Amino acid sequence: MQILYNFGLIDVIKKEYVDNSYMIVDGENIIEIGNQEVLSEEQKRKGIDFQGKTVMPGMFNLHIHALSTPIANPASLNWEDPSKIGIRGLVHLQQHLKSGVTFVRDMNGRKQAEIGLRDAIREKIVVGPDYYVAGQCLTMTGGHGSNTGRECDGPIECKKAAREQLKRGVDFIKLMATGGVMSPGMNEDETQLDEEEMAAAIREAHKVGKKTAVHAHGASGIKNAVKAGIDSVEHGSYLDDECIELMLERNTAFVPTLAVDYYLFKYGIKRGVASYAIEKAKRAHEAQVKGFLKAWNAGVLIGVGTDAGTPFNPHYGTYMELVSMVELGINTMDALVAATINSAKIAGVDSWCGSLNVKKRANFLVLDNNPIDDIWALKNIDQVYKDGKLISLPEVEYLPHLD
C-alpha cells in the first residue's frame, strides 16, 4: 500500500483543481482520496511527498498506429518481418507511456503482430500502456488502407471480415468510409465502404459488446457510417451540420486528430512526404478546424487521438492534440477532460480508468507545472504511474527526434 500526498489534483469529473490532496493506492487501484489534513504524521512519514506538484489522470490517445514508424513513408517498412515490426511497436508504445499516455487504441495492425504485443503487455511480460487493437482495418478492394487492411466488398464479405478480426480477439473494429491523405490515386473525401457494408460489420462487433470506429474525411462517408451505427468518427475533415445533427441523435463520438496536420506541415514538406499528400492535407485542414469547432460547440462527445505513426507524427506527441484544441479556443480544463474521462467513455473503459476516483485504476501523471495554467506543461512529464507503479523505462534514441 502506498500513501501519496502533498499535491494538487486535477479532478476531471468535477472539472476542478483540488489543492492539498492525498491518495492511497493498494495494488493497482485507488482505495482512498481526499484532503491531506486527515493524514496522521505517521502516515506522512511512511508516504511519498509530491512536494506540491500536480497530479492528473493518465492521458488517452484513441487513434495511433503503434506498428508504424513516423518517417516520410511509413509503408516502406511493411516488408519487415513481423517480429521486428512487433519490437518497433513496443518501443513506440513505451514512448507513449513515458510521455504520459496510459491508454491507446491502435487503428490498424501489421502482419498480425499487434495481438501478441497487446497480450505481452497484459500478461506483464513487457511494460506498456493499456493497448486496445483493431487488428486489420476493413476497407474496400483498393481502398484507403488496403496495403495492410482486410479488403472486403459487399455486406456479406464485410460481415465475414469483421468476424475474422473478432476471432483473432481484437478489442474493436475499424472501418474505412472514405479515401485518405496518404493513399495515392484517390481523394481524401471520396466515399468508399457504403452504409450497408459498414452496418454488416458493425452489427457483428456490437453483438459481442465491441466498439467500432471509422476513418472518414468526407461528409457522405461520415453520414454513411453514423447511419450504419458507428461508435466514433475519426478525422471528420468535412464534417457538416447534417453530420453533427446525426451524431448528436445517435450519440456518435468524434476523434478529430488535429495534431496530424501540425506535424505534417511542420516537417513533412521539407523531409520528403509526397506532394500529393501535402496538398490533400492542406485542402482538408481549414474545413476540419471549422467542423471540429461546430461539433464541440454543439455538444458532440470528443476525445483525443493524434494518428501517431503517420509521417513525422511521433509517438510521444499527444500533448500537441491538446495544445491544438486550446489554441483553437477550447477551455484548457475541457481539453484535459477530453484527453481523460471523455476518451475513456469513447473507448468504453470509463468504469475503471479515465479519472482518479476510489476503485479506479491508479494510472496518473505527476507534473512540475499545472497544465490548467499552461497546457504546454504536458510536454514535460515528471513521473508516470501505471497500475499503481512508478514507471521507469530506459531512454531510447529512436527516430524521428523532433524539436
Side-chain angles (χ1 to χ4, degrees):
M1 188 168 68
Q2 302 177 79
I3 301 172
L4 316 169
Y5 70 99
N6 191 18
F7 57 84
L9 172 71
I10 295 179
D11 186 331
V12 295
I13 300 293
K14 296 181 179 179
K15 295 188 178 181
E16 62 184 22
Y17 181 85
V18 185
D19 215 346
N20 300 314
S21 295
Y22 82 99
M23 181 163 50
I24 298 179
V25 176
D26 189 9
E28 297 183 343
N29 297 320
I30 299 166
I31 63 169
E32 196 172 319
I33 196 164
N35 190 294
Q36 66 186 25
E37 290 181 2
V38 304
L39 296 177
S40 67
E41 290 304 315
E42 182 180 359
Q43 284 176 309
K44 289 181 179 180
R45 281 195 300 272
K46 292 179 179 178
I48 300 173
D49 184 349
F50 278 166
Q51 302 176 334
K53 295 183 179 182
T54 296
V55 169
M56 65 170 282
M59 290 187 289
F60 282 60
N61 194 323
L62 294 178
H63 193 122
I64 74 162
H65 298 277
L67 304 176
S68 178
T69 300
I71 56 178
N73 181 17
S76 66
L77 301 177
N78 286 350
W79 58 269
E80 289 186 328
D81 185 85
S83 59
K84 187 175 182 182
I85 288 175
I87 291 169
R88 286 185 185 274
L90 176 59
V91 174
H92 295 149
L93 289 171
Q94 291 182 344
Q95 287 179 321
H96 279 284
L97 187 57
K98 286 190 287 187
S99 66
V101 176
T102 55
F103 187 106
V104 299
R105 288 196 312 184
D106 195 329
M107 286 288 160
N108 187 31
R110 271 173 167 74
K111 297 188 177 181
Q112 302 192 2
E114 69 282 354
I115 295 289
L117 177 55
R118 180 202 64 187
D119 291 349
I121 292 172
R122 290 183 180 176
E123 294 166 22
K124 301 190 186 304
I125 298 170
V126 293
V127 175
D130 289 309
Y131 181 42
Y132 272 34
V133 300
Q136 290 177 285
C137 67
L138 308 190
T139 183
M140 74 175 197
T141 297
H144 182 58
S146 59
N147 60 340
T148 53
R150 166 65 159 89
E151 291 179 315
C152 48
D153 302 295
I156 293 174
E157 276 194 26
C158 290
K159 182 177 185 178
K160 181 176 181 180
R163 287 177 172 178
E164 288 173 353
Q165 303 310 308
L166 294 167
K167 179 181 177 181
R168 292 182 58 218
V170 300
D171 301 291
F172 66 104
I173 295 290
K174 163 83 175 299
L175 301 110
M176 313 301 272
T178 71
V181 168
M182 292 306 298
S183 294
M186 66 177 68
N187 291 325
E188 73 284 359
D189 59 341
E190 66 187 40
T191 302
Q192 296 195 350
L193 288 180
D194 62 30
E195 180 183 341
E196 291 75 20
E197 289 172 316
M198 288 187 282
I202 291 166
R203 282 193 296 269
E204 293 307 305
H206 287 173
K207 281 194 319 192
V208 293
K210 306 277 184 165
K211 295 276 191 177
T212 59
V214 66
H215 161 103
H217 287 287
S220 62
I222 295 169
K223 292 166 195 173
N224 284 343
V226 176
K227 290 176 182 177
I230 205 73
D231 294 297
S232 68
V233 170
E234 315 288 312
H235 311 307
S237 298
Y238 297 97
L239 205 66
D240 62 18
D241 291 343
E242 186 181 350
C243 293
I244 292 168
E245 185 177 343
L246 278 171
M247 291 170 74
L248 289 170
E249 285 176 2
R250 304 185 183 215
N251 297 315
T252 311
F254 181 31
V255 181
T257 65
L258 301 168
V260 66
D261 285 341
Y262 168 83
Y263 290 111
L264 188 62
F265 297 156
K266 184 170 183 178
Y267 300 104
I269 295 172
K270 61 186 177 184
R271 297 195 186 186
V273 173
S275 59
Y276 70 79
I278 299 293
E279 289 306 310
K280 284 194 282 185
K282 286 181 177 178
R283 189 165 62 222
H285 178 71
E286 185 177 350
Q288 185 187 32
V289 168
K290 290 179 181 178
F292 160 70
L293 291 173
K294 278 188 175 183
W296 186 284
N297 291 330
V300 173
L301 179 63
I302 292 178
V304 161
T306 64
D307 214 358
T310 54
F312 305 107
N313 187 349
H315 291 282
Y316 51 79
T318 301
Y319 68 90
M320 187 50 65
E321 187 74 8
L322 286 85
V323 169
S324 298
M325 288 181 173
V326 171
E327 289 183 346
L328 289 173
I330 302 305
N331 175 274
T332 305
M333 176 61 89
D334 288 337
L336 294 171
V337 170
T340 53
I341 190 61
N342 281 4
S343 289
K345 290 175 181 177
I346 294 169
V349 297
D350 53 303
S351 64
W352 57 271
C353 66
S355 63
L356 298 178
N357 298 99
V358 172
K359 296 184 180 179
K360 283 197 174 184
R361 201 72 58 81
N363 297 341
F364 60 90
L365 316 178
V366 183
L367 302 97
D368 289 324
N369 299 305
N370 186 349
I372 298 173
D373 298 330
D374 182 5
I375 197 68
W376 283 95
L378 294 174
K379 187 176 181 180
N380 299 298
I381 307 296
D382 181 40
Q383 298 174 52
V384 178
Y385 279 75
K386 177 72 174 58
D387 298 333
K389 294 181 180 179
L390 176 62
I391 297 300
S392 178
L393 291 167
E395 292 298 324
V396 177
E397 187 75 23
Y398 190 59
L399 294 175
H401 183 71
L402 307 174
D403 56 29

